[in-house]
Amino acid sequence: MAQTFAGSQKRDGGAEEGPMGYVEGSIIRIKMYNFLTYNYAVVRPGTNLNLVIGPNGSGKSSILCAICLGLAGKTSVLGKGDKVGLFVKRGCNIGWIEIELYKKGGNVVIKREIHMENNQSVWLLNGRNSSQKAVEEVVKALHIQVSNLCQFLPQERVSEFSKMSKIELLEATEKSVGPPEMYDYHCQLKNFRSKERELENVVKEKASFLEKAKQRNERNKHDVTRYYEKKKHLDRIELLEKKKPWVEYEMARQELEGVKKERDEAKKQRANMKRTHVPMLNKIKTIENQLNPIEAQMKAKTVGITEASRTCKQKQDQLDRKNKEIEDIKQGFKMKEVEKHDHQKRISNTRRIIEGLKAELATFDDQQDVTPQLDAVNAELKHNREERASIQGEVADLRREMDNHSAESKLLAKKLNDMNNMMKAKEEKLKGRHRDTHTALQWLRQNRQLFTGNVHEPMMLVINVKDPRFAKYVENYISFHDLRSFVFQRKDDREKFMTEVRDHLNLKVNSIYAPEVSCSNRAPSRPIGSLERFGFYSYLREMFDAPEEVMSYLCFQYKVHDVPVGNNKTKEMIKTVIEEPYMRVFYTSDERYAVKRSFYSNKISTSNSALTPSQYLNIVVDTEQKQHLEQQMKTCQVKLQDTGEKMTTLQQRAATLDRTDNELREEKKQLSLTKGKKRLLEQKISAKQESQRQMEQSGIDLERIEEETKNKISAVNSQKVLIGTEFMSKMKLRHKLRMEEVYLALEIVGLTAEKTKLENDYGQDGAKLRTLDQVCSRLEQRKNQLVETCKDLMKKASEICNIDSVESVSTGLHAALSKLPDTLDEIEALLAEERSRADGFTGLSENVVEEYNRREQEVKNLEKELNEKTNALTTYRQNISEAKERWLNPLKLLVDQINKNFSDFFRSMQCAGEVELHTENEEEYDKYGIRIRVKFHNSTQLHDLTGYHQSGGERSVSTMLYLMALQELNRCPFRVVDEINQGMDPTNERRVFDIVNRTACKETSSQYVYITPKLLENMHYSEGITISCVHNSHTMVSSHQWDEKAFLGKRIQRKA
């Protein structure tokens, strides 16, 4: 590797100091050891424009990587992996970068040692051990920002520049070319604005709360006034309620005196009346003494009559029962007579039956013997039984066979259903990720007949990994774009499908067609056996099954037949594996590796990425097993059908045998009847004769039964005579007692009439006496009630007025009570009126007054807080206004300068462009941004620079010119741009380079590193340009042997 940088100097010993022209932070020297493609190299940039040229793959971008990592940049800035150890040259364990930066008073030398094994770095600052944080602080102090795309633009991130938002572009520009304090002011303003919003919200909330509190208290003020009016009425009600018991007590006391007088007068009248009624009362008592023994005799007679009547009733019931008993005896005799008649009739019937059977028996003597016919029928029945038993055995065997086939069929159906459910799970995942593809799948299944060749559903549904562990390799290797693609055997079928689903149904789907010549059976470049020593055990193709066309496409497009998969052994031998020829892509147990070889130097570069778990192919359905199960299912169905047909045939034969057997049994029955009928008739005749003999022996003796009946009736009649005698005796006794009862009743009537006459005479004065008694009693009760009422009212009045006695009533209370009415009606009316007025003040309590006073204090506190917050907000806004002027005015000037440079550059290219500070609200400092607008054609308008509106070349031109517009402002010590001219058309490329040449070579410009694969011909190159040629080949001399003067001398001689 050889490099040439013009304008560099070196002094012996230690760090180098930059010559005149360098600004603080400019790169003086870059050393690389075992870094990417370099064994050892030294790069010395010039003070202005540095062109680094060389073929692709020679190591130009490695210099950019060294600058980034050597200045404590992150690997994500480069977009080349996430492990710093990957930047160590292949086959080495340690590599380092050393960068010397110009600084007044002594240059800064930063060295970074990278250890591949543990992916760690060791930092040295000016030859002393340091930390990454200390290096970052030094780099920041020199205004170096390798993460800022406006200063450091790697090739992999060129497209990101146009995708930056306006806000991000403003921040990057501030950091790159603005004064050191500009970005800090911006951050402060954003924080100030955030705090201002908080204060504004607080002030609004306080003001709103204060207004609501005032309104609420204003309403409460009216309630307080009403509360005091209500209290006035309540106080008057309280006085009325204190006066009321005293008025009630006085009324009760007056009523008590009147009741006492009325009671004493009633008692006096009652005593005078009692003295005049004593003789008449004595005579009435004499008559009552005569009536008492007569009434006692009357009660005794009544009891005797009742007892005699009860006995008569019992005897009458006994007579009735005896009469019933005689009727039952007579009825029993009549039943015996009927039974005797029926017995004679049954004997006559039996005799007639015997005679008929004898006559029928006489007709069987001349008939022939049926025994031979009966034997023949029995033999045929036996043959039928044997044949039916054989058929039943065969049917049982067939039924068992059908049960086995049916069970097997159900098991196969369950297994197939489980596999189909797994396919449905795959479809649900597809539906959740890409609904249009799922909709197109449903359309395809309904319209498959429209296509001529094979049409396969999306790959993720038809690819079936042989083991779930393999799913992550296959899914990581095949893009999701292809996994959701439909695969077609014929191109015309694909076009027809896309017309229907994309144009007619407006669905976004992917489709591909398989190669015309199948590639599914392509052989790998090396047998897998030759790779087993590295831990490889299979190629990717052998890990899954797929239809012919799908596998052919994957072999053709992805070379799945040539991607080996290894295990942990492969990971341990990774350095050796990468050196193997023909190794492009391979897998370890948990990582994917991609290997690239330089076309010029055969140097190896690799990238690796961790495997993510499978999301779609981890549901495994064994296709061969499914086909085998479906074939088994068909075979089982055929066997079931054959067995069913055999069983049907046997069942039909069994039915025929059953019909024949029934016919033979009927014939046997008739022959048996014919043979056994004579013997049966003889048996019947014998049985009937025996029955007749028994009936004749068991005849009924009617005369004896009649004699027994008469004796029973005679005995019952004797009992009736005794009962009748007792009945008559009791009837006579009852009649005697009833006559005596009548005489006593007449005597009682006479005495009662005399007593009634005396009582009537006494009744008129007695009523008056009883009335006087009632009056006295009522008045006595009323007096007692009034006494208790007076006591209660006195107690109640004392309690209400809170006094011990009438004498202890205070003068003030007595004066207040004396002003009130003295009658209860007036007090009640006044109470009702006051209560009505008090009830009109609803919803009021002492809490209203307390709440009003509390809120009055709250309002005062809130007013004080609101004033403090308002003053704080005013002060804060003044501070923001001052900070805004410090930030916005310089920023506007800066953007105007950038816009002037940018517009001039575009105008020189016969295009138009402008840069402006953009914001929708001047107070929203986090929404400020830089908007770049460009126009490359006269027929178009200015458009915002985005990642979509302009072409790739136009975006590259805009990016480059914006960076050049920043270059003239010259705050950052250097800028690095990597192959930004890729994609530009030749005209724009020359125009842009001319601008770069003119701008970067000015004395006021800072260091600029421009990496490009070529030099443009017939261009004017300024004297300040430093051109570095990067070569990489096996024939290159080492950097120590390179002699620039000898090389130039040879070139001059050759040219001459």
Side-chain angles (χ1 to χ4, degrees), residues 152-296:
F152 194 87
L153 189 61
Q155 180 181 356
E156 287 77 6
R157 301 188 67 191
V158 170
S159 60
E160 294 183 21
F161 186 89
S162 59
K163 296 178 182 178
M164 290 173 67
S165 67
K166 300 178 181 66
I167 299 171
E168 292 171 338
L169 185 58
L170 173 61
E171 292 179 355
T173 303
E174 287 176 333
K175 295 176 183 177
S176 177
V177 297
E181 67 277 3
M182 179 176 284
Y183 181 69
D184 294 335
Y185 285 158
H186 191 185
C187 294
Q188 288 176 5
L189 276 172
K190 287 190 283 188
N191 293 332
F192 286 165
R193 178 55 183 159
S194 176
K195 293 179 180 178
E196 182 187 14
R197 288 196 198 98
E198 293 178 3
L199 277 174
E200 286 175 348
N201 292 333
V202 169
V203 169
K204 287 180 182 178
E205 289 176 2
K206 294 286 184 185
S208 175
F209 192 74
L210 176 60
E211 184 62 26
K212 290 179 181 177
K214 286 182 176 179
Q215 292 175 1
R216 196 162 45 240
N217 235 24
E218 191 62 30
R219 292 194 298 270
N220 287 354
K221 185 176 181 180
H222 177 64
D223 291 340
V224 169
T225 303
R226 294 175 66 242
Y227 171 78
Y228 284 119
E229 290 180 6
K230 180 180 179 180
K231 192 172 185 303
K232 179 180 177 182
H233 292 295
L234 292 176
D235 292 341
R236 190 168 176 80
I237 289 170
E238 184 179 359
L239 284 174
L240 287 169
E241 287 179 345
K242 288 181 178 179
K243 179 76 178 280
K244 182 180 176 181
W246 291 108
V247 174
E248 290 176 343
Y249 167 74
E250 184 60 27
M251 292 176 65
R253 189 186 63 77
Q254 293 175 2
E255 185 181 357
L256 175 61
E257 294 299 327
V259 169
K260 284 182 178 179
K261 291 179 180 180
E262 188 177 353
R263 181 202 61 180
D264 293 341
E265 183 66 26
K267 285 184 176 181
K268 185 177 179 180
Q269 291 178 6
R270 185 181 63 180
N272 294 332
M273 189 171 288
K274 281 184 177 181
R275 282 194 296 270
T276 60
H277 287 78
V278 172
M280 191 178 295
L281 287 174
N282 292 334
K283 192 171 183 180
I284 291 172
K285 286 181 179 180
T286 302
I287 293 173
E288 288 177 351
N289 292 333
Q290 293 175 358
L291 280 172
N292 288 337
I294 296 172
E295 287 175 353

Side-chain angles (χ1 to χ4, degrees), residues 353-383:
I353 290 171
I354 291 171
E355 291 175 357
L357 291 173
K358 287 181 178 180
E360 187 177 357
L361 181 61
T363 61
F364 278 94
D365 293 336
D366 299 331
Q367 293 183 2
Q368 62 180 357
D369 190 7
V370 295
T371 302
Q373 298 178 14
L374 193 59
D375 293 340
V377 170
N378 286 332
E380 192 169 354
L381 282 171
K382 181 179 179 182
H383 179 266

Side-chain angles (χ1 to χ4, degrees), residues 63-120:
I63 299 173
L64 179 140
C65 295
I67 295 173
C68 176
L69 298 180
L71 297 177
K74 294 181 171 55
T75 57
S76 58
V77 174
L78 301 171
K80 291 185 177 182
D82 55 350
K83 297 179 180 179
V84 72
L86 297 176
F87 290 86
V88 177
K89 186 176 182 180
R90 187 67 60 192
C92 301
N93 293 324
I94 299 176
W96 54 262
I97 309 160
E98 186 177 272
I99 299 178
E100 181 179 355
L101 303 174
Y102 174 70
K103 185 179 180 182
K104 294 179 181 179
N107 294 346
V108 176
V109 179
I110 300 172
K111 185 175 182 180
R112 181 177 189 174
E113 287 186 4
I114 303 172
H115 296 260
M116 180 180 180
E117 291 184 356
N118 56 9
N119 200 43
Q120 299 293 323

Side-chain angles (χ1 to χ4, degrees), residues 16-74:
E16 294 133 310
E17 290 184 336
M20 297 300 293
Y22 284 104
V23 297
E24 280 203 353
S26 297
I27 300 174
I28 301 295
R29 171 177 52 83
I30 306 169
K31 280 186 181 181
M32 295 171 285
Y33 175 76
N34 290 338
F35 185 77
L36 291 176
T37 58
Y38 294 97
N39 293 328
Y40 176 79
V42 181
V43 181
R44 303 177 188 278
T47 57
N48 297 112
L49 178 60
N50 293 273
L51 295 180
V52 182
I53 63 173
N56 290 331
S58 60
K60 302 186 302 299
S61 296
S62 299
I63 299 173
L64 179 140
C65 295
I67 295 173
C68 176
L69 298 180
L71 297 177
K74 294 181 171 55

Side-chain angles (χ1 to χ4, degrees), residues 894-904 913-916 965:
L894 179 65
V895 174
D896 290 341
Q897 292 175 353
I898 296 171
N899 178 49
K900 181 179 180 303
N901 296 338
F902 188 75
S903 301
D904 291 343
E914 66 179 21
V915 176
E916 63 179 3

Side-chain angles (χ1 to χ4, degrees), residues 1 21 111 206 216 235 260 272 290 302 318 545 598 668 679 682 696 716 728 747 752 763 783 821 844 903 976 978 994:
M1 176 67 66
K111 185 175 182 180
K206 294 286 184 185
R216 196 162 45 240
D235 292 341
K260 284 182 178 179
N272 294 332
Q290 293 175 358
T302 302
Q318 290 177 359
D545 295 320
S598 173
K668 178 181 178 182
R679 186 168 60 251
E682 291 175 349
E696 289 176 348
V716 172
M728 291 304 296
E747 189 175 355
T752 302
K783 186 210 71 164
L844 300 176
S903 301
V976 180
D978 187 8
D994 183 59

Side-chain angles (χ1 to χ4, degrees), residues 555-569:
C555 289
F556 175 78
Q557 184 68 25
Y558 288 92
K559 306 293 187 294
V560 294
H561 62 287
D562 215 16
V563 178
V565 179
N567 49 29
N568 291 329
K569 182 179 179 182

Side-chain angles (χ1 to χ4, degrees), residues 315-343:
K315 296 302 178 180
Q316 183 64 46
D317 292 340
Q318 290 177 359
L319 288 173
D320 292 340
R321 285 197 294 273
K322 294 301 178 181
N323 291 330
K324 183 67 173 58
E325 186 177 350
I326 292 170
E327 290 297 325
D328 291 341
I329 293 169
K330 291 179 179 179
Q331 187 65 29
F333 178 71
K334 290 181 181 179
M335 292 296 293
K336 288 296 182 180
E337 287 180 337
V338 174
E339 186 179 351
K340 175 69 174 179
H341 177 71
D342 292 340
H343 186 72

